[in-house]
Amino acid sequence: MRKIDGANNYLKNQSRKYLGRSILSLLFFSLIFGLTCYSALFHMRRIGVIEGIGFVASIIVLMVFQYYQRKYRIYKSGRQGEKEVINTLTKSLNDDHYLINGAYLKGKGGDIDHIVLGPNGVYVLETKNWSGKIICNGDQWQRPGKHIKSNPSLQIKRNTQKIKKVLDNTHTFQGHKIWVEGIIVFTNPHADLTVNNTTVTILKLQQLSNYIKNQNNNCLTKDQIQKIVKQIQNT
């Protein structure tokens, strides 16, 4: 498989950002807490107003640190899921296929996790490294007793439409129907999926390669695939 890294690496940038903020907030907490304790011990007195303010500030900064850490773990987990998709596809699909990672379409907003292009079509992937019980009814996603705000079905439909518009707006492929399909891929082995009447394709990572290889769609030539790759890259 031929791998192409896109210009955008959203998860990598976000995980680095929140890691940096975590470190800074932890250092700030250590400084405030240390100075507050030093003040209390140095003056050998009960905690006064200054020390009280210092301890409250320390607690607030510690909460900020925990928030940044939580965000860092979320983005790090998402990035790990994308890496697993890349490793799986590059090992199982041959050089007739291209894999574009972190594609960003100018003026269309947001990034696309992965795009697989091969003889039997174009596949837009939305990667989720979620664990635990996950329920999908139609386009509604939830965990037990909790609605999931970041709706994967809407994300993959939106990204798939972006790619369809790119291909529809080019003269290169007029008259040739290109199969474009969106797939939500769950990479975490601890994800417990319950899917009912879904409007999009939902797969576990171990199902992905065979699903793509076994699709019987209109075939694309190597030349057509290369042109589509260039069209996506230049958009």
Side-chain angles (χ1 to χ4, degrees), residues 118-121 176-179 215-221 224:
N120 55 0
H176 187 92
K177 185 66 175 177
I178 301 172
W179 179 261
Q215 294 306 296
N216 186 23
N217 303 313
N218 294 333
C219 290
L220 294 172
T221 66
Q224 288 173 326

Side-chain angles (χ1 to χ4, degrees), residues 126 128 130 133-157 183-186 191-196 198-203:
E126 177 69 30
K128 297 297 180 187
W130 297 351
K133 182 69 175 177
I134 304 160
I135 304 167
C136 177
N137 291 309
D139 279 345
Q140 300 300 314
W141 291 78
Q142 63 184 38
R143 294 184 183 274
K146 182 181 179 182
H147 178 71
I148 297 176
K149 293 182 180 180
S150 57
N151 191 313
S153 295
L154 298 184
Q155 288 177 317
I156 192 61
K157 285 181 179 181
I183 303 174
I184 301 172
V185 184
F186 282 86
D192 182 8
L193 291 172
T194 300
V195 178
N196 300 305
T198 180
T199 61
V200 296
T201 303
I202 302 172
L203 301 173

Side-chain angles (χ1 to χ4, degrees), residues 33-34 59 104 122 127 140 172-173 212:
F33 187 75
I59 293 172
Y104 184 84
V122 178
T127 301
Q140 300 300 314
T172 307
F173 311 107
I212 292 174

Side-chain angles (χ1 to χ4, degrees), residues 34-50:
L35 290 175
T36 302
C37 290
Y38 174 79
S39 176
L41 293 173
F42 180 78
H43 292 100
M44 297 296 291
R45 64 184 184 188
R46 294 180 180 178
I47 296 177
V49 175
I50 295 177

Side-chain angles (χ1 to χ4, degrees), residues 49-78:
V49 175
I50 295 177
E51 288 79 13
I53 293 174
F55 283 125
V56 170
S58 298
I59 293 172
I60 293 173
V61 174
L62 184 60
M63 292 173 64
V64 171
F65 164 75
Q66 292 173 336
Y67 169 78
Y68 287 147
Q69 270 288 293
R70 186 164 58 252
K71 297 289 284 187
Y72 165 68
R73 287 193 294 269
I74 290 172
Y75 286 113
K76 181 182 178 182
S77 174

Side-chain angles (χ1 to χ4, degrees), residues 96-98 115-124 167 177-181 212 215-220 225 228:
D96 290 337
H97 297 79
Y98 285 78
I115 305 172
V116 179
L117 306 99
N120 55 0
V122 178
Y123 298 89
V124 182
L167 300 183
K177 185 66 175 177
I178 301 172
W179 179 261
V180 182
E181 181 178 356
I212 292 174
Q215 294 306 296
N216 186 23
N217 303 313
N218 294 333
C219 290
L220 294 172
I225 294 171
I228 295 174

Side-chain angles (χ1 to χ4, degrees), residues 1-3 89 92-100 115-121 123 209 212-213 222 225 229:
M1 180 170 223
R2 306 184 187 193
K3 186 175 67 172
L89 292 178
S92 55
L93 297 180
N94 59 31
D95 282 345
D96 290 337
H97 297 79
Y98 285 78
L99 175 63
I100 302 176
I115 305 172
V116 179
L117 306 99
N120 55 0
Y123 298 89
S209 297
I212 292 174
K213 287 188 289 188
K222 290 184 178 180
I225 294 171
V229 170

